């Protein structure tokens, strides 16, 4: 576990010193595994109150927990807000519901960049038919609304697929995300403190599958970012 974490972290951090790696608690929520990753320096990616609670119990600070709830209830939104974790809203309709409990100083939205991929059809999380994330056409509007509500600091997130083994996919989806970011920065007048590129990193399932070259993925993604700076 430690070796895999450090291998992935090093591939990106060797090119982007501020790169951070968040572990999806849903992948395996065993407390001992969470504690190992917390000690290695990981953040935690949580999808609900139970995962937030487990991450806190494992030693993750609230500021190092990203919460993205799909179709959360008001009580789930309130729980996450009260715990002080990083709020990452999956849909525009969640903003007014969150504001019932207060205005977070920091807010992120999960964006559907319009493109997704993956080995399994049911595990493609972006594109025209996906049910997750703010559609590209609505992204400027949701950040404008958040700014008007008093939010001062922002992040942006995408999670587009699963089990992707094509390195080129990650650079192409990053390019698409950067186009969206540029539009928001220009039209809303905000800057982003983080850009969460999501997961989708595949592993070989069959004998003929080739392992994803993590170093190449890191190089392609970070080069796409550098070209826009």
């Amino acid at each position: 576990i430690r070796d895999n974490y450090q291998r992935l972290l090093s591939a990106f951090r060797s090119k982007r010193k501020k790169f951070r790696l968040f572990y999806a608690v849903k992948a395996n929520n065993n407390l001992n595994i969470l504690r190992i990753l917390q000690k290695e320096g990981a953040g935690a990616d949580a999808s609900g109150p139970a995962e937030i609670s487990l991450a806190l119990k494992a030693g993750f600070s609230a500021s190092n927990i990203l919460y993205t709830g799909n179709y959360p209830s008001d009580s789930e939104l309130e729980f996450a807000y009260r715990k002080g974790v990083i709020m990452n809203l999956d849909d525009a309709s969640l903003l007014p519901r969150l504001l019932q409990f207060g205005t977070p100083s920091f807010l992120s939205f999960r964006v559907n960049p319009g493109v997704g991929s993956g080995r399994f059809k049911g595990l493609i999380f972006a594109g025209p038919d996906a049910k997750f994330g703010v559609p590209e056409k609505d992204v400027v509007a949701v950040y404008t609304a958040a700014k008007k509500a008093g939010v001062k600091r922002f992040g942006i997130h995408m999670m587009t697929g699963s089990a992707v083994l094509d390195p080129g996919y990650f650079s192409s989806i990053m390019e698409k995300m950067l186009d969206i970011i540029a539009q928001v920065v220009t039209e809303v007048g905000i800057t982003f403190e983080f850009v969460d590129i999501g997961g989708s990193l595949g592993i070989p399932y069959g004998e003929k599958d080739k392992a994803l070259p993590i170093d190449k993925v890191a190089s392609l993604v970070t080069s796409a970012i550098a070209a826009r700076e």
Side-chain angles (χ1 to χ4, degrees):
I1 291 169
R2 290 190 177 94
D3 286 348
N4 271 333
Y5 171 80
Q6 291 297 338
R7 183 167 62 92
L8 181 55
L9 181 72
S10 297
F12 281 87
R13 190 166 281 179
S14 64
K15 300 170 179 64
R16 303 290 299 191
K17 294 186 182 300
K18 293 183 179 181
F19 176 80
R20 299 170 67 194
L21 185 55
F22 281 56
Y23 172 72
V25 178
K26 67 172 68 67
N28 188 326
N29 62 14
N30 182 290
L31 273 173
N32 289 317
I33 291 175
L34 295 180
R35 287 176 177 133
I36 287 170
L37 289 163
Q38 188 274 330
K39 289 178 181 177
E40 289 295 308
D45 181 280
S47 62
E51 293 183 3
I52 292 173
S53 297
L54 284 168
L56 291 169
K57 188 172 183 179
F60 292 91
S61 64
S63 62
N64 217 20
I65 299 172
L66 178 72
Y67 165 65
T68 311
N70 303 126
Y71 309 104
S73 65
D74 283 353
S75 62
E76 289 174 321
L77 283 173
E78 182 178 16
F79 178 89
Y81 176 73
R82 301 295 181 206
K83 290 297 182 181
V85 300
I86 304 168
M87 303 293 292
N88 183 45
L89 302 184
D90 183 59
D91 189 81
S93 66
L94 299 181
L95 178 59
R97 291 171 53 200
L98 173 61
L99 294 174
Q100 297 177 85
F101 311 113
T103 302
S105 60
F106 190 101
L107 188 63
S108 176
F109 286 94
R110 175 176 177 170
V111 169
N112 177 351
V115 181
S117 184
R119 184 185 185 100
F120 308 106
K121 185 177 180 180
L123 296 177
I124 296 176
F125 306 124
D129 299 322
K131 62 181 180 178
F132 302 113
V134 178
E136 181 181 0
K137 65 182 179 60
D138 298 328
V139 174
V140 167
V142 295
Y143 278 101
T144 298
K147 182 182 178 182
K148 287 182 178 178
V151 179
K152 304 296 184 185
R153 300 163 56 213
F154 297 92
I156 192 167
H157 167 279
M158 66 175 170
M159 175 61 188
T160 61
S162 181
V164 177
L165 291 174
D166 173 19
Y169 171 77
F170 296 95
S171 58
S172 64
I173 198 68
M174 190 71 249
E175 291 281 3
K176 180 65 175 175
M177 188 64 155
L178 289 168
D179 289 339
I180 294 171
I181 290 169
Q183 184 181 11
V184 175
V185 170
T186 300
E187 297 189 27
V188 185
I190 61 174
T191 57
F192 291 105
E193 294 188 21
F194 73 70
V195 177
D196 188 330
I197 64 176
S200 311
L201 303 173
I203 61 170
Y205 277 90
E207 292 182 1
K208 295 182 179 180
D209 290 340
K210 294 183 179 180
L212 183 67
I214 296 299
D215 288 337
K216 184 174 181 179
V217 172
S219 180
L220 289 170
V221 169
T222 55
S223 294
I225 296 171
R228 301 292 190 98
E229 291 178 319

